[in-house]
Amino acid sequence: MTDREAPYAGLSPDLILDAVADAGFEPDGRMLALGSYENRVYQIGIEDGPPLVAKFYRPGRWSDAAIDEEHDFALELADAELPVVAPLLVDGASLLDYDGFRFSLYPRQGGRSPELESRDNLEWMGRLLARIHGIGSRGSFAERGRIDVRTFVREPSRAVLESDLLPSSLARRYREITESLADQLDARLEAIGPVRQIRLHGDCHRGNVLWTDAGPHFVDLDDARMGPAVQDLWMLAPSAAALDILLEGYAEFRDFDAGELALIEPLRIMRQVHWAGWVAMRWHDPAFPLAFAHVGEARWWEEHCNDLSEAVAQPGN
């Protein structure tokens, strides 16, 4: 990581408003911080216009080219009239810079949390994801990487071992478990065989979906990567029955390779390891110890090691 010890220390309210003004809008002074840990996101009131959302990117995470790929994908989806919140273009550019901070501006589109216990809503989400994946399958990301064992297990576990979060008494156990798990996952994925990689939302949980009377829309493509279609499906399904319904809707617009269902458990455990590594890499950011204080306790790491040990013991992973 190359971000500063306190990556947003210089991101003052005045700088935020000045950045929006520099982009050609006139802030009215109202500002509301929106929930985001990786980046910093604010709703900004605009004189004689609807509010905008300003997203300031974490230094050192994505290259400019990788952010451009995210924006291009969002704009491609929006051009296809899919309900995805895409960045605004300012003089033809979506990635802006002000005083060393990279940022983008979005129209504010509110909504409520989706009710995914409803058959109708699950089918609707399935149809929408199928249409997104149809667009996603037309091209590839060159800069944003893919969902694989190196990125989601080996690198995050190394970050944990290099951090001060993991109790020293657990270091050897954690190293042995994660090395064994990574090797097991590599073997498991090889046994499953080649799976088509497409451009994905990448972090498709219900927190990134907002629902209005007009239906759902997606926000936050910040984790968009190449990967299997099932990655965008399993996190939205609260049960196996719900996944079946989601796939029924999906099948109305796009064929789904049922062989990808075997990837769900590997993807689930990869996400667990990746999350722990993400928190470890970000612990220097003052927002993280406040939000995830429990991760600073030895008990949490003991439970995490136990969960990973159980995963290693399950031959299906």
Side-chain angles (χ1 to χ4, degrees), residues 150-172:
R150 178 184 63 83
T151 307
F152 276 69
V153 178
R154 297 189 188 278
E155 291 178 356
S157 60
R158 184 166 60 248
V160 167
L161 288 164
E162 293 173 353
S163 77
D164 296 328
L165 271 180
L166 182 70
S168 58
S169 59
L170 292 174
R172 180 176 178 180

Side-chain angles (χ1 to χ4, degrees), residues 55-266:
K55 175 180 178 180
F56 288 81
Y57 291 91
R58 176 174 292 273
R61 187 190 180 212
W62 291 116
S63 67
D64 288 359
I67 296 174
D68 285 339
E69 282 191 335
E70 172 207 337
H71 290 181
D72 289 346
F73 185 36
L75 290 164
E76 186 179 355
L77 294 170
D79 286 345
E81 299 184 347
L82 292 175
V84 173
V85 181
L88 300 177
L89 296 177
V90 177
D91 294 329
S94 57
L95 180 59
L96 312 174
D97 182 275
Y98 187 81
D99 200 20
F101 284 98
R102 297 173 301 168
F103 73 103
S104 55
L105 297 174
Y106 294 80
R108 185 185 70 85
Q109 293 182 226
R112 57 187 181 273
S113 179
E115 297 177 3
L116 296 181
E117 293 72 29
S118 158
R119 167 177 278 275
D120 288 344
N121 288 356
L122 284 167
E123 289 180 346
W124 197 335
M125 288 302 305
R127 292 191 295 269
L128 175 54
L129 281 170
R131 295 174 64 203
I132 289 174
H133 288 174
I135 300 294
S137 66
R138 296 178 185 174
S140 298
F141 290 136
E143 304 291 336
R144 300 191 66 81
R146 62 179 56 215
I147 296 169
D148 55 25
V149 175
R150 178 184 63 83
T151 307
F152 276 69
V153 178
R154 297 189 188 278
E155 291 178 356
S157 60
R158 184 166 60 248
V160 167
L161 288 164
E162 293 173 353
S163 77
D164 296 328
L165 271 180
L166 182 70
S168 58
S169 59
L170 292 174
R172 180 176 178 180
R173 183 186 178 203
Y174 181 84
R175 179 183 294 107
E176 291 174 349
I177 293 171
T178 53
E179 287 177 354
S180 178
L181 180 62
D183 291 342
Q184 191 178 97
L185 286 166
D186 277 333
R188 175 63 174 158
L189 296 178
E190 184 176 356
I192 291 172
V195 175
R196 186 179 185 189
Q197 304 284 308
I198 63 173
R199 292 177 295 173
L200 301 170
H201 183 285
D203 192 28
C204 196
H205 57 78
R206 65 175 62 205
N208 282 330
V209 180
L210 294 175
W211 208 285
T212 69
D213 292 342
H217 60 270
F218 276 100
V219 297
D220 192 9
L221 288 170
D222 197 63
D223 287 290
R225 298 177 186 269
M226 299 295 293
V230 73
Q231 169 67 15
D232 278 352
L233 293 162
W234 71 266
M235 279 187 285
L236 285 176
S239 67
L243 180 60
D244 287 342
I245 297 170
L246 197 64
L247 289 172
E248 287 178 20
Y250 192 94
E252 293 183 29
F253 282 88
R254 190 170 188 268
D255 290 336
F256 176 76
D257 178 2
E260 290 190 19
L261 295 175
L263 294 171
I264 292 178
E265 286 309 314

Side-chain angles (χ1 to χ4, degrees), residues 271-294:
R271 183 174 174 82
Q272 285 183 251
V273 178
H274 184 264
W275 188 87
W278 173 65
V279 174
M281 285 188 286
R282 302 292 187 252
W283 201 248
H284 62 276
D285 183 333
F288 277 70
L290 289 174
F292 308 113
H294 58 287

